[in-house]
Amino acid sequence: MTERIAATVLAFDFGTRHIGVAIGNTLTRTARALTTIHAATDDARLAAIEALTAQWQPQMFVVGIPVHADGTPHEMTALTQRFAQSLEQRFRVPVRTADERYTTQAAQAAVAGKGRADRARRDEVAAQIILQGWLDDGGR
């Protein structure tokens, strides 16, 4: 019998204006929406992530990587990969990536409104969907 080790994981739905954040646990294999970071600069985004990291002490980060429907990369793919690399370098926490195709659409369906608060909620729900999919896939 293989023993599972519990690890706290923070997941990110990266955007140039907003970053949705979710938190999960590898033992319970559950994820929940946590917050949305609203920051215009890299320094402000990283400061907000630093505060979350200090609070939750994650053992791992998961970053959703956007690609076209056919799997080919686009402009946001490279930006998101650079974001993932900067997380790993700054926080010395392992970063895993996950396919985030259709997560924004699924999150939009889950969050019915179109107001500012609903858009912020959509970003964190998208992060939750990314993390839950990664956990369901056994962390691969």
Side-chain angles (χ1 to χ4, degrees):
M1 181 178 200
T2 308
E3 182 179 330
R4 287 190 194 175
I5 298 172
T8 300
V9 181
L10 285 180
F12 302 95
D13 178 37
F14 175 78
T16 56
R17 291 179 162 186
H18 312 284
I19 300 173
V21 184
I23 189 165
N25 183 284
T26 58
L27 184 62
T28 62
R29 294 184 179 265
T30 56
R32 69 175 175 87
L34 186 61
T35 191
T36 298
I37 297 169
H38 305 276
T41 67
D42 288 343
D43 287 342
R45 284 190 280 268
L46 290 172
I49 293 168
E50 188 169 346
L52 290 170
T53 300
Q55 179 179 2
W56 294 101
Q57 299 292 308
Q59 288 77 45
M60 187 176 305
F61 294 138
V62 173
V63 176
I65 301 294
V67 292
H68 288 293
D70 66 0
T72 58
H74 54 74
E75 182 182 342
M76 279 303 292
T77 307
L79 291 173
T80 305
Q81 288 169 330
R82 281 198 296 274
F83 169 73
Q85 290 170 348
S86 71
L87 288 177
E88 195 161 43
Q89 290 169 354
R90 178 165 180 155
F91 298 104
R92 304 285 186 225
V93 172
V95 175
R96 302 293 180 261
T97 58
D99 186 337
E100 73 163 42
R101 276 181 277 189
Y102 309 113
T103 57
T104 300
Q105 293 86 344
Q108 185 63 48
V111 179
K114 295 196 183 290
R116 180 179 222 149
D118 297 316
R119 283 193 301 270
R121 179 83 178 128
R122 181 198 65 207
D123 293 332
E124 59 200 59
V125 170
Q128 177 185 1
I129 293 168
I130 291 165
L131 182 52
Q132 191 63 60
W134 183 83
L135 290 165
D136 291 348
D137 196 33
R140 290 183 287 255

